[in-house]
Amino acid sequence: MIELPLAGTGRKIGIAPTKIIAVGLNYREHVKESVSGRKLPDALPSEPVLFAKTPNVLIGPGEAIVIPALIDGYHFEDARVDPEAELAVIIGKRGRRIPEEQAFDYVLGYTCFNDVSQRNFQYLDTSGWFRGKSLDTFGPIGPVVVSRQDIGDPQKLNLYSRINGALKQSGNTADMIFSIPRLIAFISKHFTLEEGDLIATGTPKGISPLHPGDVVEVEIEGIGILRNPVEAERI
Ligand code: MG
């Protein structure tokens, strides 16, 4: 289990979700860069594009994202692992069919999340995005949790990613196609949200690949910087 400080309290909270529900294609400019050359429709999604990440992905600040050795065995022409800077919503209480107007009552707080993605698996697997999104260590989270009461307006936060200090992604949560309340209402129509579950709300444009030896950062205004090194697995 990952333990993260709850900002301003001196307390820590355990991050142990029963599920991590991620939202694909939730920023307009990222939809544009994602459709080029891939089997995706070029229109904006008419409802949230949901996929799962499994809890084995979670690592804390400073822990290494490990690119698994098995990828070498596929001899992909362009083997590619990308980071995705995302605002993570941490659910605070159980809910099903949560009305949009009450959605924030179900939020404990927010933190930074890196939706690390192995693209070859993601786009080639006929079973979908599962394997490419749920490899061990492919979900850094942190560095702190900021409570719902302390975040201000969560739809007005700048977010960034950097690789080795160079800015790659830059966006604002105002640009989400589906807002946080809409996501919570939509998701909870399908699945009961449990206390501790995570929603990764999508990523802005500027996706760039990671390589062993890199250091990747996800920064969100009002939360902080989540920084993780990247390693190749040695077996
Ligand atoms: Mg993502």
Side-chain angles (χ1 to χ4, degrees):
M1 180 168 59
I2 311 295
E3 286 205 317
L4 296 176
L6 184 59
T9 65
R11 287 196 293 126
K12 286 194 168 190
I13 59 170
I15 304 291
T18 68
K19 51 193 169 299
I20 304 166
I21 297 171
V23 184
L25 308 173
N26 201 27
Y27 286 78
R28 285 172 185 79
E29 296 297 317
H30 175 60
V31 173
K32 285 185 201 161
E33 72 177 354
S34 297
V35 298
S36 57
R38 295 187 182 135
K39 291 175 284 184
L40 291 168
D42 59 1
L44 295 182
S46 56
E47 56 180 20
V49 176
L50 304 184
F51 63 94
K53 284 176 83 92
T54 40
N56 61 300
V57 302
L58 293 173
I59 57 173
E63 292 191 79
I65 298 163
V66 180
I67 299 176
L70 75 90
I71 293 170
D72 297 339
Y74 286 88
H75 305 289
F76 293 124
E77 204 169 295
D78 177 25
R80 188 157 164 163
V81 173
D82 295 334
E84 296 186 355
E86 309 205 3
L87 177 69
V89 176
I90 302 169
I91 296 297
K93 65 176 179 180
R94 179 176 229 218
R96 176 146 170 91
R97 296 186 202 93
I98 299 167
E100 216 175 295
E101 314 77 63
Q102 294 171 23
F104 285 124
D105 297 344
Y106 289 79
V107 174
L108 172 83
Y110 301 88
T111 191
C112 307
F113 187 71
N114 190 341
D115 175 20
V116 182
S117 307
Q118 209 297 329
R119 298 295 184 203
N120 311 82
F121 290 157
Q122 183 184 349
Y123 292 112
L124 293 174
D125 278 3
T126 50
S127 68
W129 296 6
F130 167 58
R131 191 164 61 140
K133 290 286 193 177
S134 288
L135 295 163
D136 287 349
T137 75
F138 275 33
I141 192 164
V144 301
V145 174
V146 177
S147 71
R148 162 169 58 97
Q149 293 80 4
D150 289 343
I151 198 78
D153 184 347
Q155 302 287 176
K156 284 186 182 165
L157 304 175
N158 289 316
L159 72 167
Y160 311 95
S161 70
R162 294 183 204 86
I163 300 175
N164 304 325
L167 184 67
K168 299 295 182 184
Q169 292 178 278
S170 175
N172 188 288
T173 57
D175 298 328
M176 287 183 194
I177 298 169
F178 301 101
S179 68
I180 294 161
R182 287 189 69 186
L183 291 174
I184 290 172
F186 181 80
I187 290 167
S188 69
K189 275 194 271 189
H190 297 76
F191 319 109
T192 300
L193 285 171
E194 304 286 352
E195 180 180 354
D197 281 353
L198 299 175
I199 300 172
T201 54
T203 202
K205 68 172 176 179
I207 302 297
S208 305
L210 287 177
H211 301 96
D214 288 346
V215 174
V216 58
E217 293 174 349
V218 173
E219 178 174 6
I220 302 179
E221 184 184 1
I223 298 174
I225 300 175
L226 169 64
R227 185 179 291 116
N228 297 86
V230 182
E231 292 177 0
E233 184 185 24
R234 291 193 195 155
I235 52 174

